[in-house]
Amino acid sequence: MAEATRLIKKYPNRRLYDTASSCYITLADVRDLVLGQEVFQVVDAKTGDDITRSILLQIILEEENGGAPMFTSDLLAQMIRFYGNAMQGFMGRYLENNITAFSDMQAKLQEQTKSLYGENSPMSKDMWTQFLNFQGPAMQGMMGTYMEQSKRMFAQMQEQINSQTRSMFTGFPFPGSDEADKK
C-alpha cells in the first residue's frame, strides 16, 4: 500500500504547519522528514501552490552555509549556466540518475557492513566514514574516470546527432561544412 503524502502548509508569516502532527515545524524538522525518507508536500496555505522544491532549496542553502559545503562556487556557476540552455532538462535527469546510483552504492555498502558486523556493532556505525577516509582518493579517481567517460559518451552522442541531421537534410548547407563555405 502506498504511503499517504504528508501535507505541510506554509503560511504568510513564513511558518510551516504539519497537518499530520497538528503543530508548527521548522526547516530542521522538514530536513528530518527528508532524512527519514518521509513522503511529504509543502503547499502555500494561501494559494495552494506546491512549494516543496523551494523549501528543499532553502534546506540545501542552510546546509551549504552551515559547515562544510558540498558544492563549490565553480560547480554552482556551471549549474546556473544550464538554466535556459537546451540541455537544462537533460542535466537535471543526469544529476538525478547519478545521485541515485551513488545512493544505491552507499546503501549496498551499508547493507554488506551490517551483514558482516551486525546491526549494533560500533564498527558498523563508523564503517562508512572509515571506508571513505581510506578509499576517498580511490573513489574520487573512480568518479573522475566515470565523469570523463560520461563526457566522451555525450560528445559521441552529439556527433551522432549532428551526423544524422546532416544526412537527413543533405540539400541544406550547414555552417562549417564544405557546401556552406563555397557560398
Side-chain angles (χ1 to χ4, degrees), residues 100-147:
T100 299
F102 186 80
S103 296
D104 290 346
M105 181 181 73
Q106 181 182 7
K108 286 178 184 173
L109 284 170
Q110 287 175 340
E111 203 174 284
Q112 289 173 350
T113 301
K114 284 180 186 175
S115 68
L116 288 173
Y117 299 106
E119 185 79 28
N120 295 322
S121 168
M123 191 167 196
S124 69
K125 292 179 182 173
D126 288 333
M127 186 60 75
W128 183 246
T129 303
Q130 291 172 7
F131 176 78
L132 287 179
N133 286 340
F134 182 69
Q135 294 293 331
M139 287 188 70
Q140 285 178 348
M142 183 176 69
M143 290 302 284
T145 302
Y146 171 75
M147 294 304 288

Side-chain angles (χ1 to χ4, degrees), residues 1-2 7 10 15 17 38 50 98 101 103 117 119 123-124 127 154 157 177 180-181:
M1 183 167 87
L7 183 64
K10 183 175 183 201
R15 293 187 75 187
Y17 184 78
E38 296 266 349
D50 184 352
N98 280 298
S103 296
Y117 299 106
E119 185 79 28
M123 191 167 196
S124 69
M127 186 60 75
F154 181 73
M157 181 179 73
S177 69
D181 294 339

Side-chain angles (χ1 to χ4, degrees), residues 31-110:
R31 179 185 176 273
D32 290 342
L33 293 176
V34 171
L35 294 175
Q37 299 192 18
E38 296 266 349
V39 178
F40 66 90
Q41 179 184 26
V42 183
V43 296
D44 185 293
K46 192 173 186 178
T47 65
D49 292 342
D50 184 352
I51 57 170
T52 307
R53 288 184 68 256
S54 75
I55 296 298
L56 294 172
L57 286 168
Q58 285 179 349
I59 293 168
I60 290 171
L61 184 59
E62 281 191 4
E63 291 291 324
E64 285 291 303
N65 288 330
M70 185 183 304
F71 303 110
T72 64
S73 296
D74 288 340
L75 174 63
L76 292 171
Q78 288 174 0
M79 288 173 69
I80 290 168
R81 289 182 193 112
F82 276 101
Y83 284 96
N85 187 309
M87 298 304 291
Q88 179 176 340
F90 173 77
M91 179 53 79
R93 286 189 305 278
Y94 176 79
L95 290 172
E96 185 174 355
N97 289 338
N98 280 298
I99 288 173
T100 299
F102 186 80
S103 296
D104 290 346
M105 181 181 73
Q106 181 182 7
K108 286 178 184 173
L109 284 170
Q110 287 175 340

